[in-house]
Amino acid sequence: MQIQPPTISDAPLWDRLMGNYTFACLMVAAQLNICGLIEEGCNTSEKLARKLQLSHKGINHYLLILNHLGYISIENNQLKNTKLAKNYLDKTSPYYWGEVLLDPFSIYDINHLDKKILTSLKCEYELECKGRSVTDMWQNDEMDNESAAAFTRLMHSQGFASAVKAASNGTFKSVNTLLDAGAGSGTIALAFCDAYPDRNALLFDLGPVCETAKEYVEKFNKKEQITVVKGDLFSANWPTGFDGICFSNVLHDWQEATCENLLSKAFSLLPKGGHIFIHDMLLDESQLTPSLFSFHLFMNHGSQLFSEQQLVQLLTITGFKNPLCHKALGYFSVVSAQKA
């Protein structure tokens, strides 16, 4: 019997197979500081190869990948950084993604992901730090200073650009004093205070996290506007004196019941007319990246991304009114509501 040709191309399999290299190439760009070297004058493949003492042939292949990914342009053998690279691969940029790309906890190690997927499907979640569950360490306030600092910097790299975009769009215009709850580096507090120099924010998180957050507050010259308050989001008394609360990249780490408790706590503390904000990537099952990120959260914490509809439902259950969705940056949005 004659072998029949396939009824569909195998190109998608090749795309996914070769796609394993794309993030690895960005990680190497951060490790070698490719963007910085181009800005310093190593603007040809020959100069880069000589500076890094690497194979010229190999560098040519590698730069072609960065060109296809949109991080550099190559014209007449001259290399230029694109806006994408200048925003996210330049160490001097406030939106530098190096803390993610250097992957200090091997979260994105391709050699480990298949095993991690299978483990998580058995409901055994394994984002670990020094042999312990990261989720348990956060919830029990047992994260050591070094690990907390690394995680805080990583999350800042992922979240700051969207926070600034949201604040610049006027998302928080109704607020005079904003509580950044579970703040991490204070991406929302920093962005809010930069957009409104006459207003103030409270940055609330665990002690080890706050030590790193203070570095960002000082770096962006916001010490006069931002008060850093140490405390456990789950067990400590929250600070007072605010008319807005924001959970930025917080709820996606927790089960729905825990999120409902946090929103109920926020409702009880807000004054009448106060506003709640949830800054996060929204689940859209028609898009691959949010679906992948939601599965990534499941693998790490047994948690999930929420869709706009799910967040609105949580806000309604906990007493909030007039929900709105504000576009931020890329896949990120801010869902807001009011205590009527």
Side-chain angles (χ1 to χ4, degrees):
M1 184 176 179
Q2 186 178 10
I3 299 174
Q4 298 298 311
T7 58
I8 191 169
S9 170
D10 63 355
L13 291 153
W14 278 104
D15 291 343
R16 297 287 76 79
L17 178 63
M18 292 298 100
N20 290 340
Y21 288 97
T22 57
F23 187 70
C25 283
L26 289 182
M27 295 173 83
V28 169
Q31 293 167 12
L32 298 180
N33 189 27
I34 295 293
C35 178
L37 291 175
I38 291 174
E39 290 298 309
E40 290 169 11
C42 291
N43 58 352
T44 66
S45 60
E46 292 88 350
K47 290 178 180 178
L48 269 179
R50 189 162 53 249
K51 175 71 175 181
L52 295 169
Q53 298 183 11
L54 297 174
S55 160
H56 184 208
K57 181 178 179 180
I59 283 288
N60 274 330
H61 284 301
Y62 173 69
L63 292 174
L64 182 60
I65 303 304
L66 293 185
N67 175 253
H68 278 296
L69 292 174
Y71 292 90
I72 64 169
S73 64
I74 306 173
E75 296 181 16
N76 300 321
N77 293 321
Q78 296 292 302
L79 308 175
K80 290 184 179 180
N81 290 309
T82 63
K83 288 183 179 180
L84 188 61
K86 289 180 178 180
N87 271 276
Y88 302 111
L89 295 184
D90 184 345
K91 289 182 178 180
T92 66
S93 168
Y95 310 119
Y96 178 55
W97 260 58
E99 302 294 343
V100 181
L101 296 172
L102 298 176
D103 196 18
F105 299 97
S106 299
I107 297 171
Y108 307 106
D109 181 0
I110 188 64
N111 294 315
H112 181 58
L113 282 179
D114 58 339
K115 298 178 183 64
K116 189 172 182 178
I117 289 171
L118 289 169
T119 300
S120 69
L121 291 174
K122 298 175 184 177
C123 296
E124 300 170 6
Y125 315 113
E126 61 160 61
L127 179 56
E128 293 184 352
C129 177
K130 300 182 178 180
R132 296 190 57 197
S133 161
V134 168
T135 305
D136 290 344
M137 292 170 77
W138 282 132
Q139 192 161 23
N140 298 322
D141 192 8
E142 295 173 347
M143 184 70 73
D144 64 277
N145 289 351
E146 180 183 358
S147 300
F151 270 109
T152 301
R153 293 188 180 107
L154 186 154
M155 293 303 297
H156 180 88
S157 292
Q158 288 183 322
F160 191 48
S162 179
V164 172
K165 183 66 173 177
S168 69
N169 286 346
T171 303
F172 308 105
K173 63 184 178 182
S174 60
V175 177
N176 288 306
T177 301
L178 183 67
L179 173 65
D180 193 350
S185 65
T187 54
I188 290 292
L190 293 164
F192 172 76
C193 289
D194 197 66
Y196 303 102
D198 59 336
R199 304 185 193 183
N200 300 293
L202 303 163
L203 191 161
F204 182 48
D205 212 321
L206 300 173
V209 176
C210 285
E211 294 307 308
T212 302
K214 289 176 182 177
E215 298 174 12
Y216 286 98
V217 172
E218 187 167 345
K219 175 182 177 180
F220 289 100
N221 299 313
K222 302 302 179 191
K223 292 176 69 175
E224 298 300 316
Q225 291 175 268
I226 296 177
T227 301
V228 178
V229 182
K230 300 178 182 180
D232 188 330
L233 198 61
F234 298 99
S235 61
N237 292 326
W238 292 17
T240 57
F242 49 81
D243 59 341
I245 299 177
C246 185
F247 293 105
S248 179
N249 294 308
V250 171
L251 299 188
H252 68 218
D253 282 339
W254 306 101
Q255 303 291 339
E256 187 171 333
T258 301
C259 297
E260 188 175 326
N261 289 336
L262 289 173
L263 291 173
S264 294
K265 177 77 169 180
F267 184 85
S268 68
L269 293 175
L270 276 169
K272 186 176 181 179
H275 287 80
I276 184 81
F277 304 90
I278 302 169
H279 172 238
D280 216 324
M281 184 185 295
L282 298 181
L283 178 62
D284 178 349
E285 293 182 353
S286 69
Q287 293 188 294
L288 178 59
T289 295
S291 299
L292 284 169
F293 186 50
S294 191
F295 188 43
H296 165 81
L297 293 168
F298 173 78
M299 287 190 290
N300 288 336
H301 308 292
S303 58
Q304 67 293 299
L305 279 185
F306 293 104
S307 67
E308 177 186 347
Q309 182 179 3
Q310 288 172 317
L311 289 178
V312 167
Q313 185 176 9
L314 277 171
L315 290 167
T316 302
I317 289 171
T318 50
F320 289 100
K321 306 291 184 183
N322 306 319
L324 295 171
C325 186
H326 316 259
K327 182 67 176 173
L329 184 72
Y331 294 107
F332 281 76
S333 297
V334 178
V335 176
S336 70
Q338 188 174 22
K339 181 176 179 178

